[in-house]
Amino acid sequence: MTASASDQHAPERAPTARRTVGLLADPGAAAELARRLGRDLPDLLGRQVGGSWGVEPVETELELDENGALPVVEIGSRALDDRGWDAVVLISDLPRRAGTEPVAADGATGHRVGLLSLPALGAVAQYRRARDTVLRLVADHLVPGGGDTRSGAAAALTRLDASGERTGGDADPEDTDDAGSGGAEEAIDVRLAMTGARGRMRLLLGLVRANRPWRLVPSLAPALAAAAAGAAFGIFYSNIWSLATALGIWRQVVVCVMALVAMVVWLILNNRLWERRTDRSLREEATLSNASTVLTVAVGVLCMFVLVFVIALVGSVIVIPGHYLASNLGREWGVDDYLMIAWLSCSMGTVAGALGSGFADEKAVRQAAYSQRELERRRRLDEQDSSRR
């Protein structure tokens, strides 16, 4: 590979000279992860590559281009010029794809610039995967003389060539053009991806984690109030007690699932969270985004359900005396009776909560359902889609 102009004129470094890697991270989860990497990576790089290393995490808002993608090389090269680092890695919670393959890391070796995309790392063990991936990216590709660090979580990543195909000629015969948020930059010559269905599932779960679905609960205060009111009705209405204990577990499950699905569908449609795109590449982006939206809202609604269930269970134990419950049931009461009553009451409350969610502020729901970077990406794609119509 031909060295870039900046590399050709760079001064010779002594083998023991201290080398510095910069981490430019979006605010929030990415910045927190970068700070942890700043503490751990110097020792790891020293052991794997040798020499003295410094890692400088910097929290900054990484600007998107008109397509809602990150201009990785432009941002990284500007940071190298300003700060004098030996290499730089951008860290973002925006997804990157090469065709259908989720990209965990990109690298422009001639510019000593890389990118770590958090969603492709999945929802669990994200820090360990991020640490190993950045270590492999820097040591193997961005810094001359680096060693082979294909160990740990990064060993499962497949290197793709510049066209998005797997190195070694084992690529699938499918469209491998860069799509959507993946962006296409000619200078990027290294892509590390988790290929296949496992990689796509990891990307989807990583997007859900980036959206932080538990934030939906406080933004759905009207729905929560309506759900609590509906659950209270079930606690105070004695006919519900008999019905709840007679339904059995499987019918309770069906009622519960129907209530949860109704609320998820209502939230998505009422708050216009579903994406519709006309352009082919944008439709592919919309498919992934819509799948993450459904899971994000579903997890948020489930969190609300659990909260209402706990309230309903405590309320039923306090309000319904055991002997009075036994007299209504015509038999001895048990702990499972209170659980079934709270469960059915909570399912009823969830249906009422779906109606109450219509009074929630749409802007607040959208901000709670998505990360800030996803909101910005959607806005850019809306503008791009509108311009093509």
Side-chain angles (χ1 to χ4, degrees):
M1 183 180 297
T2 302
S4 66
S6 60
D7 287 341
Q8 290 174 351
H9 297 288
E12 290 293 331
R13 290 181 177 271
T16 58
R18 179 181 175 86
R19 289 175 285 186
T20 304
V21 176
L23 302 177
L24 290 182
D26 270 325
E32 177 59 30
L33 184 142
R35 285 189 285 270
R36 293 182 62 188
L37 290 174
R39 295 190 293 267
D40 295 344
L41 278 180
D43 290 340
L44 292 173
L45 285 168
R47 289 199 297 267
Q48 293 282 355
V49 183
S52 176
W53 290 83
V55 176
E56 297 182 10
V58 176
E59 179 177 341
T60 183
E61 186 168 333
L62 303 176
E63 297 180 0
L64 305 183
D65 62 19
E66 65 276 5
N67 297 321
L70 282 174
V72 178
V73 175
E74 177 185 343
I75 295 175
S77 297
R78 188 166 58 242
L80 289 177
D81 291 339
D82 293 343
R83 298 177 181 271
W85 292 328
D86 294 277
V88 61
V89 177
L90 282 61
I91 302 178
S92 176
D93 59 11
L94 279 175
R96 301 276 290 188
R97 291 185 299 116
T100 60
E101 304 293 1
V103 174
D106 281 330
T109 57
H111 295 264
R112 295 171 287 124
V113 174
L115 169 74
L116 177 69
S117 176
L118 296 182
L121 302 179
V124 298
Q126 192 175 82
Y127 175 73
R128 177 174 57 83
R129 292 170 179 169
R131 180 198 63 203
D132 293 348
T133 302
V134 172
L135 180 62
R136 175 178 172 182
L137 182 65
V138 172
D140 290 2
H141 305 294
L142 300 186
V143 178
D148 188 349
T149 58
R150 299 183 187 183
S151 60
L157 298 177
T158 300
R159 178 175 175 176
L160 309 178
D161 65 19
S163 68
E165 296 182 349
R166 305 173 192 178
T167 54
D170 57 348
D172 295 327
E174 57 184 346
D175 181 20
T176 55
D177 292 338
D178 289 330
S181 62
E185 295 187 69
E186 293 181 357
I188 291 178
D189 51 4
V190 173
R191 287 190 170 94
L192 303 178
M194 174 62 72
T195 58
R198 180 184 174 189
R200 298 184 186 97
M201 180 58 66
R202 180 181 286 186
L203 173 63
L204 180 59
L205 296 178
L207 284 171
V208 174
R209 171 171 174 164
N211 289 338
R212 293 177 292 174
W214 50 88
R215 299 183 307 164
L216 267 175
V217 177
S219 69
L220 295 176
L224 187 59
F233 174 79
I235 293 173
F236 285 99
Y237 193 45
S238 60
N239 284 351
I240 299 296
W241 309 346
S242 301
L243 177 61
T245 56
L247 278 178
I249 293 180
W250 287 112
R251 284 191 174 87
Q252 284 270 32
V253 169
V254 171
V255 172
C256 177
V257 170
M258 291 175 61
L260 292 174
V261 169
M263 188 165 189
V264 169
V265 171
W266 180 261
L267 279 172
I268 291 175
L269 297 182
N270 188 60
N271 293 283
R272 295 181 294 179
L273 302 180
W274 193 262
E275 282 196 84
R276 295 182 178 87
R277 303 295 177 191
T278 56
D279 184 77
R280 177 178 176 273
S281 64
L282 296 186
R283 287 201 302 270
E284 293 173 354
E285 281 290 297
T287 300
L288 176 63
S289 182
N290 286 333
S292 67
T293 294
V294 171
L295 284 179
T296 297
V297 175
V299 173
V301 169
L302 186 61
C303 290
M304 192 189 76
F305 183 90
V306 171
L307 178 60
V308 175
F309 175 79
V310 172
I311 295 173
L313 181 59
V314 173
S316 63
V317 172
I318 295 175
V319 170
I320 308 172
H323 65 85
Y324 187 63
L325 176 61
S327 65
N328 276 269
L329 298 179
R331 57 174 175 78
E332 288 295 322
W333 65 273
V335 174
D336 59 324
D337 294 321
Y338 284 101
L339 292 172
M340 298 296 273
I341 292 171
W343 192 357
L344 182 59
S345 299
C346 188
S347 298
M348 294 170 51
T350 300
V351 175
L355 301 177
S357 66
F359 297 99
D361 181 65
E362 180 180 322
K363 183 178 179 180
V365 172
R366 292 179 68 87
Q367 288 179 337
Y370 302 118
S371 67
Q372 188 62 37
R373 307 305 277 159
E374 176 67 9
L375 285 172
E376 185 177 356
R377 185 193 68 83
R378 282 176 171 248
R379 180 177 63 81
R380 303 265 185 169
L381 288 180
D382 286 339
E383 295 173 355
Q384 181 183 356
D385 200 24
S386 299
S387 65
R388 296 189 182 186
R389 291 177 181 174

